[in-house]
Amino acid sequence: MCIFCKIAAGEIPTNFLYESARVVAFKDLDPQAPAHILIIPRQHFENAAELAAADSATLSELFGAARELAATLGLDGYRITFNTGASAGQSVFHAHLHLLGGRPFAWPPG
Ligand code: AMP
């Protein structure tokens, strides 16, 4: 079982900032901004493309959870990102939406 599957299943004690039947969200272990939350499907999909192909309702819920969390945290601007594939910086191969906020962000991203 992958690390995010274990988190979603409750095998690794984790404080969920958002929780539903299909989705959980928790703080990133190595935050890249004052607010850095990972929003993931409970079910295992390797990346966002696999999730989009298989379950558009859950994909949509990830974005809804990001909107709710950003509002709860009072983020006036934020970035949401799916790194998809190792060349794009994906290091955990269980789909996850990064929600980052609390500082300015440059464009283009590195
Ligand atoms: P990515 O590089 O897009 O695949 O993002 C993976 C993210 O997962 C990184 O930002 C890591 O810091 C984070 N991460 C890895 N393991 C854990 C963990 N056990 N709990 C919370 N975040 C984690």
Side-chain angles (χ1 to χ4, degrees):
M1 197 186 266
C2 90
I3 183 89
F4 284 5
C5 282
K6 287 182 182 168
I7 289 173
E11 288 186 18
I12 298 173
T14 304
N15 180 37
F16 292 143
L17 305 174
Y18 175 98
E19 187 173 10
S20 75
R22 294 188 296 214
V23 171
V24 296
F26 51 91
K27 285 187 179 174
D28 194 291
L29 197 62
D30 181 22
Q32 301 303 309
H36 187 175
I37 296 167
L38 301 175
I39 309 165
I40 73 167
R42 286 186 187 270
Q43 190 179 341
H44 185 88
F45 297 96
E46 181 166 322
N47 56 39
E50 271 198 7
L51 172 60
D55 188 349
S56 57
T58 297
L59 179 69
S60 174
E61 188 179 341
L62 297 184
F63 287 100
R67 182 193 64 76
E68 277 186 31
L69 286 162
T72 301
L73 294 169
L75 303 177
D76 59 348
Y78 55 90
R79 184 164 290 176
I80 49 178
T81 304
F82 282 112
N83 294 326
T84 304
S87 65
Q90 187 176 1
S91 60
V92 175
F93 292 87
H94 178 129
H96 51 282
L97 182 60
H98 292 262
L99 167 63
L100 298 127
R103 67 167 172 84
F105 294 96
W107 193 263

